[in-house]
Amino acid sequence: MGLLEYALLAGLLYGLYFALVAAGLNLIFGVMRIINLAHGDFLMLGAYGAFYLYHLMGWSPLWAVPLTFAAFLALGLPLYYLLVPRLQRSGDPEMRSFILFFGLSQIIEALAVFAFGNDQRSIPARVFGNHPVHLLGQVYPLAWILSAVFGLLGIVALYAYLYGSPLGRATRAIMANPDEAAITGIAVQRISALTFGIGIALAALAGIFSPFMVGAIQPDLGVGITLISFAIVVIGSLGHPLGTLVGGLVYGISLMLMQTYLPSWSQMLPFVLLIAILLVRPGGLLGKGVRRA
């Protein structure tokens, strides 16, 4: 029973973290109807940023959180205007987004190899101190707890932004119908650019904690992360703000149970969950909210 309790609680912690990992991908799809296949690469860049801030300047990963978010939010604005409006004017933006962002992913990965090399990098978990946390009779690394806390805070902040701020309400109006939103006077392109920036900033934020939850930092980290993120948003529901949290929890708990009882099969988990959801509930667990705010 102790092993099962440990796996379930660890899965809850991992689920909260993976909800943050996938949040940006779901947000961008919900507003722009495009699949950002470079999502995991922005997470990888955020991880490298935290690594170098720690090793070159001695900054704790926690101090890197506001700087990383602001930097990638600023990066997302010009990147949106460079790529997305032209993509949306094409005949089939959803399908063409696969090609465009796959190319962007390959470019980012290649540049990362030139810039950082192929060696694996990491940030030691002791950066937060050697203080394991006792939780309901189980003991977990403090890095896991902090990653889960920031994951939850990120989701709560995103939800508060979408449902409690004028910009968030405008974002939801675009999610529901961009043409009607434009008629009512909402600056669709400006709100979409801000959303794109927030989406990749959330990915980079998750990257700060990836050395403690995912493993070593390396240039090809992004491909696997994008696949996991896509599975999570499909499990919850594409375009649904709360779907990411549900999908993250399902993935995290399933991952920990698989690693505990069937470790050799755990690498197949994202694909198994993806196929199972598509066969049983194609709209995701929160399917009623597909493509609606």
Side-chain angles (χ1 to χ4, degrees):
M1 189 62 183
L3 192 59
L4 177 61
E5 290 176 348
Y6 181 88
L8 290 174
L9 286 173
L12 180 63
L13 298 176
Y14 266 73
L16 292 172
Y17 170 72
F18 276 107
L20 177 64
V21 169
L25 182 69
N26 208 9
L27 179 66
I28 289 174
F29 177 82
V31 174
M32 286 155 257
R33 307 291 191 261
I34 58 176
I35 303 295
N36 177 15
L37 289 184
H39 178 78
D41 297 282
F42 292 110
L43 183 146
M44 175 268 291
L45 292 176
Y48 271 112
F51 170 82
Y52 282 108
L53 285 174
Y54 171 71
H55 284 280
L56 297 181
M57 303 179 66
W59 284 27
S60 164
L62 299 182
W63 288 108
V65 168
L67 178 63
T68 299
F69 189 86
F72 280 83
L73 176 61
L75 171 66
L77 299 178
L79 194 58
Y80 170 85
Y81 286 109
L82 178 65
L83 300 176
V84 180
R86 296 180 183 179
L87 184 67
Q88 290 176 324
R89 287 195 294 271
S90 66
D92 188 0
E94 288 187 27
M95 182 56 67
R96 291 176 189 271
S97 69
F98 278 98
I99 302 170
L100 189 149
F101 285 101
F102 175 75
L104 179 63
S105 170
Q106 296 303 301
I107 291 172
I108 292 175
E109 183 178 330
L111 292 176
V113 171
F114 281 122
F116 311 125
N118 280 313
D119 295 337
Q120 294 185 340
R121 316 281 183 173
S122 187
I123 302 174
R126 64 176 183 276
V127 66
F128 299 122
N130 296 315
H131 307 291
V133 176
H134 295 262
L135 183 64
L136 300 177
Q138 306 294 331
V139 181
Y140 299 97
L142 179 57
W144 289 17
I145 303 295
L146 290 173
S147 300
V149 168
F150 273 88
L152 180 60
L153 289 176
I155 296 299
V156 170
L158 178 60
Y159 192 84
Y161 168 76
L162 288 174
Y163 288 88
S165 72
L167 285 175
R169 285 190 284 274
T171 304
R172 288 169 49 220
I174 299 172
M175 286 180 176
N177 191 315
D179 294 330
E180 291 181 3
I183 292 173
T184 61
I186 293 175
V188 174
Q189 291 297 334
R190 192 180 306 169
I191 297 295
S192 297
L194 178 62
T195 303
F196 189 83
I198 292 173
I200 68 170
L202 288 173
L205 191 63
I208 295 172
F209 298 96
S210 68
F212 318 113
M213 305 299 280
V214 179
I217 309 166
Q218 51 196 21
D220 63 353
L221 172 66
V223 176
I225 292 294
T226 299
L227 288 174
I228 292 172
S229 301
F230 190 69
I232 289 171
V233 297
V234 170
I235 292 169
S237 181
L238 275 167
H240 196 295
L242 282 181
T244 314
L245 178 60
V246 174
L249 291 175
V250 170
Y251 176 79
I253 293 172
S254 302
L255 177 65
M256 285 297 107
L257 290 175
M258 291 284 283
Q259 289 188 347
T260 302
Y261 296 104
L262 295 168
S264 59
W265 293 81
S266 61
Q267 295 298 320
M268 297 174 59
L269 181 64
F271 311 105
V272 172
L273 287 174
L274 190 61
I275 293 171
I277 288 293
L278 289 176
L279 289 177
V280 176
R281 196 174 174 83
L285 297 179
L286 301 181
K288 290 183 179 179
V290 174
R291 299 193 178 203
R292 291 198 299 270

